[in-house]
């Protein structure tokens, strides 16, 4: 059974940084497309970024330059480095592992950006 566990959320001031981590177990991590989503206070869950098994990264234009996704296959972990955080980045961040039409979600980690 695939398990996805996020960590690293917290409270940060505007302009600060956080790094989220997501560990996947139960299957071969390197074969998954990994993605981060976020769910804002309006409960809209939106894609943040993704990375393929071949390390191709995708970002929406609105987040390019501030957010960076990376993966460490040896540690079965994907990271989300978030810099220059803004109050509108406040959300619950979810990790998603996708392969062959099946996806697995973590429980989410709260990120709050406030002065």
């Amino acid at each position: 059974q695939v398990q996805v566990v996020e960590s690293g959320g917290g409270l940060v001031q505007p302009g600060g940084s956080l790094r989220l981590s997501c560990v996947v177990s139960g299957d071969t991590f390197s074969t998954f497309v990994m993605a981060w989503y976020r769910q804002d206070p309006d409960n809209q869950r939106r894609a943040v970024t993704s990375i393929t098994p071949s390390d191709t990264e995708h970002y929406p234009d609105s987040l390019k330059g501030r957010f960076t996704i990376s993966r460490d296959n040896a540690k079965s972990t994907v990271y989300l480095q978030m810099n220059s955080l803004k109050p509108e980045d406040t959300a619950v961040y979810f990790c998603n592992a996708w392969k062959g039409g099946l996806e697995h979600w973590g429980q989410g980690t709260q990120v709050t950006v406030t002065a």
Side-chain angles (χ1 to χ4, degrees), residues 27-46:
D27 200 341
T28 307
F29 174 78
S30 62
T31 61
F32 284 103
V33 175
M34 297 301 303
W36 287 96
Y37 288 74
R38 66 186 184 186
Q39 186 163 322
D40 60 26
D42 293 332
N43 281 326
Q44 295 291 320
R45 189 175 295 193
R46 298 181 176 89

Side-chain angles (χ1 to χ4, degrees), residues 19-105:
R19 188 176 80 156
L20 306 182
S21 300
C22 169
V23 179
V24 178
S25 60
D27 200 341
T28 307
F29 174 78
S30 62
T31 61
F32 284 103
V33 175
M34 297 301 303
W36 287 96
Y37 288 74
R38 66 186 184 186
Q39 186 163 322
D40 60 26
D42 293 332
N43 281 326
Q44 295 291 320
R45 189 175 295 193
R46 298 181 176 89
V48 173
T49 181
S50 63
I51 186 167
T52 68
S54 58
D55 286 341
T56 299
E57 302 166 28
H58 294 93
Y59 303 92
D61 288 342
S62 60
L63 296 178
K64 282 182 181 177
R66 294 198 301 123
F67 287 18
T68 304
I69 191 171
S70 61
R71 66 192 301 159
D72 185 335
N73 290 334
K75 295 182 178 180
S76 298
T77 302
V78 64
Y79 303 98
L80 179 63
Q81 178 68 43
M82 304 184 292
N83 299 326
S84 302
L85 283 163
K86 305 174 182 181
E88 51 264 42
D89 295 318
T90 295
V92 179
Y93 284 72
F94 293 88
C95 182
N96 176 281
W98 183 95
K99 179 173 64 173
L102 294 177
E103 59 182 0
H104 310 276
W105 293 92

